[in-house]
Amino acid sequence: MTDDAHTDTDETADTHDTDAQIYYETDADDRLLRDETVAVLGYGSQGHAHAQNLADSGVDVVVGLREASDSRPVAREDGLRVATPAEAAAEADLVSMLVPDTVQPAVYEQIAPELEPGDTLQFAHGFNVHYDQIEPPAEVDVTMVAPKGPGHIVRRDYRRGEGTPGLLAVYRDATGDAHDRALAYAQAIGCTRAGVVETTFREETETDLFGEQAVLCGGVTELIEAGFETLVDAGYSPEMAYFECLNEMKLIVDLLYEGGTTEMWDSVSDTAEYGGLTRGEDVIDDDVRENMETVLEEVQDGTFAREWITEDRAGRPAYGQRRAAAADHEIERVGAELRELFAWSDEKDEETAKREPEADAV
């Protein structure tokens, strides 16, 4: 980073010496947003949830969308005011940037002239600030409030009187009130009902990218496909390989999600536990850990960010090829047929049809 005015303290510290601070309802002051206008840029997964939750919490909200956006009538039907991104930013005290990462720099160029000293520019992911794709003016607060769940869950939890856990970070505190205003925003979208964990832009960005690449999206899919291919190549039916290596993954993930590894081990058979404890480390060995360290280093030094930005600007040729190859894998063809056997398949189709599309603000 080149700006010395920010307060993202993790820039100089690689580890935390203490447990993270967690904030709840009683820590937030809803009066801080009572007389302010919040502009929510974008009306996709996160945008629609933030805007509706803010409005239901009594906050004055305007949604910023390009004039040709298909989401404009959707937002209006939801009872929200709609303007262009620049118009929304001009009347707002806090601007929440909730368009996709790759779109944000272009949107920022539209709204930058409308940012005034004392305003807040807020994000739900630190990518563009951390990697210097967006450099807000020194007199503007720069914060992050990031719910740890997709938008439809954030909205559903709020309407149930519950909340989705979230993250909070302050990159720049120009006014002295950046932290408290971000916490008030987190309260207004329901996150403080569950708990808001304090972090930094650097920590959120780097751990998020690493988790996606090495474990959640990249690591898991490669592990599943490798297991599937190993069984099929050994002569077992693709259907059995699918059930054992992909379908049952949800059962294990649900156990991990609800109770961690201890509950998972307690819930599976002794045979499964012994096999997992003794053979898992043979698969995820020191070579895999070294590969993970390389992935993390490329996140930390900006190699991945530069690669992805270049790929996006070039029209995503490699991205498209890899997506097509993944969709053409045998596990996808077998899975499409087997998933039809489950009752939840029809419910999933209905839920997908109802879900709001991603929306850009440019």
Side-chain angles (χ1 to χ4, degrees), residues 120-289:
T120 296
L121 181 61
Q122 187 161 278
F123 297 83
H125 181 37
F127 185 96
N128 282 296
V129 171
H130 181 57
Y131 292 118
D132 298 320
Q133 299 305 296
I134 292 177
E135 299 184 18
E139 64 272 15
V140 170
D141 288 344
V142 182
T143 59
M144 181 198 310
V145 174
K148 296 306 292 178
H152 70 282
I153 298 297
V154 175
R155 180 59 178 159
R156 184 197 68 186
D157 287 348
Y158 180 94
R159 297 183 69 179
R160 289 178 176 177
E162 302 169 353
T164 305
L167 304 177
L168 181 150
V170 175
Y171 179 80
R172 179 182 295 119
D173 186 2
T175 66
D177 296 323
H179 184 278
D180 290 343
R181 293 178 76 210
L183 190 57
Y185 182 101
Q187 181 187 49
I189 64 172
C191 289
T192 54
R193 297 173 182 177
V196 176
V197 180
E198 187 157 28
T199 184
T200 67
F201 271 63
R202 174 191 173 187
E203 183 177 59
E204 184 276 336
T205 302
E206 294 179 357
T207 57
D208 183 77
L209 293 177
F210 173 79
E212 292 168 349
Q213 296 169 27
V215 182
L216 305 176
C217 301
V220 165
T221 53
E222 287 297 321
L223 185 65
I224 289 171
E225 289 182 2
F228 176 88
E229 291 167 359
T230 299
L231 288 177
V232 172
D233 289 347
Y236 299 100
S237 72
E239 291 77 12
M240 287 300 299
Y242 178 88
F243 278 129
E244 295 302 327
C245 295
L246 190 152
N247 183 73
E248 292 195 20
M249 178 67 73
K250 183 182 186 307
L251 305 177
I252 299 302
V253 169
D254 285 347
L255 292 171
L256 292 169
Y257 177 80
E258 294 168 5
T261 55
T262 299
E263 181 165 318
M264 186 274 289
W265 291 131
D266 287 344
S267 300
V268 300
S269 70
D270 292 347
T271 303
E273 181 177 8
Y274 179 76
L277 290 170
T278 59
R279 301 304 192 269
E281 61 190 22
D282 291 336
V283 177
I284 308 301
D285 59 11
D286 288 342
D287 289 338
V288 174
R289 295 177 189 276

Side-chain angles (χ1 to χ4, degrees), residues 23-38:
Y23 301 98
Y24 299 96
E25 287 282 89
T26 55
D27 298 311
D29 185 355
D30 61 1
R31 295 173 298 179
L32 294 176
L33 297 183
R34 189 170 297 170
D35 299 322
E36 298 195 345
T37 297
V38 173

Side-chain angles (χ1 to χ4, degrees), residues 9 21 35 37 40 50 53 71-72 80 87 107 109 123 160 163 173 206 211 217 249 254 258 267 274 277 292 296 338:
T9 57
Q21 176 70 52
D35 299 322
T37 297
V40 174
H50 287 227
N53 290 4
S71 292
R72 276 184 162 244
L80 297 164
E87 292 168 344
V107 175
E109 291 300 316
F123 297 83
R160 289 178 176 177
D173 186 2
E206 294 179 357
C217 301
M249 178 67 73
D254 285 347
E258 294 168 5
S267 300
Y274 179 76
L277 290 170
M292 286 186 171
L296 179 57
L338 293 180

